[in-house]
Amino acid sequence: MLTVVITNNNDGWRGMNYYYFDGRTGKLFDALLQHNKSLGIKWRNSNLEIHTGRIYGWPTQILAFVASLICATLPITGFLIWWNKRRKHLRKKPPYRSGNSILSAY
């Protein structure tokens, strides 16, 4: 069995047509064309393009980069917020002096 894959990207999906040939005779015995595929097979074939943002070209690749950059900064900013709150609680408060109090004069 010989398999030929022809990639065609007219739409957002990774358009892959599969042609299956008999290895001995060279005759075509099966073909799976892009327009005959189910939605699940289209999603599976486009998995790489979806996760890297290349599904619709440069605009979606830039959008995927910005979204991943925001997601990467969330743990860092969360740690910094936690660290600053923790430092405020650890600071010592000035000791209470009864001599300077307004109530001690009475």
Side-chain angles (χ1 to χ4, degrees):
M1 181 173 84
L2 178 67
T3 305
V4 177
V5 178
I6 299 175
T7 306
N8 186 10
N9 290 335
N10 329 16
D11 54 0
W13 301 107
R14 183 178 185 189
M16 296 173 64
N17 297 323
Y18 296 98
Y19 298 98
Y20 301 100
F21 294 94
D22 187 5
R24 286 181 255 151
T25 62
K27 291 185 180 180
L28 177 70
F29 69 88
D30 195 13
L32 180 60
L33 302 176
Q34 178 69 16
H35 62 274
N36 293 337
K37 292 180 185 175
S38 67
L39 183 62
I41 294 175
K42 289 180 183 180
W43 276 95
R44 189 181 67 193
N45 287 342
S46 301
N47 198 16
L48 177 66
E49 282 79 12
I50 291 169
H51 284 90
T52 57
R54 290 186 280 169
I55 192 161
Y56 285 112
W58 283 101
T60 55
Q61 198 166 5
I62 292 170
L63 181 66
F65 173 74
V66 170
S68 63
L69 192 65
I70 290 171
C71 291
T73 60
L74 287 176
I76 297 168
T77 56
F79 173 78
L80 292 175
I81 291 170
W82 171 79
W83 185 259
N84 287 332
K85 283 185 180 181
R86 185 176 168 263
R87 284 184 37 202
K88 286 180 184 177
H89 291 295
L90 293 178
R91 290 183 190 157
K92 292 184 178 179
K93 294 181 180 178
Y96 176 72
R97 296 182 193 174
S98 61
N100 293 338
S101 176
I102 296 174
L103 296 175
S104 64
Y106 293 102

